[in-house]
Amino acid sequence: DALFLVRELVQLRRDVRDWLLLAECELALQHLPEARTALDRAARMEPMLPAQAAQIARLKERLSPTE
């Protein structure tokens, strides 16, 4: 299961890109609380590139109307 593997990956590497991938997966599956948690974690990580900050903003925008 891909979601299981991504959840394992965030524990191993602790990279903002992995947390963003997890947020995308959780959102696609309508796991809204989990998507929010992954986004919040990604937003707190350093270093972050401008493109990653923009991706966080887009994901939060997609998540907001469903809350």
Side-chain angles (χ1 to χ4, degrees), residues 10 14-15 21-23 26 38 41 44 52-53 56-57 60 64:
V10 298
R14 302 189 190 278
D15 186 294
L21 178 60
L22 179 59
E26 298 286 15
R41 180 64 186 256
R44 292 191 311 265
Q52 293 163 336
I56 289 170
K60 284 187 175 183
S64 293

Side-chain angles (χ1 to χ4, degrees), residues 30-54:
Q30 295 295 306
H31 300 164
L32 306 183
E34 293 87 349
R36 170 66 68 191
T37 298
L39 277 177
D40 290 344
R41 180 64 186 256
R44 292 191 311 265
M45 297 188 82
E46 298 279 338
M48 185 182 309
L49 300 174
Q52 293 163 336

Side-chain angles (χ1 to χ4, degrees), residues 16-17 19-28 32 35-36 38-39 42 52-67:
V16 67
R17 294 169 295 184
W19 285 98
L20 289 171
L21 178 60
L22 179 59
E24 291 271 11
C25 292
E26 298 286 15
L27 187 57
L32 306 183
R36 170 66 68 191
L39 277 177
Q52 293 163 336
Q55 183 179 4
I56 289 170
R58 284 192 304 275
L59 286 169
K60 284 187 175 183
E61 188 175 295
R62 286 176 47 202
L63 189 57
S64 293
T66 61
E67 294 182 317

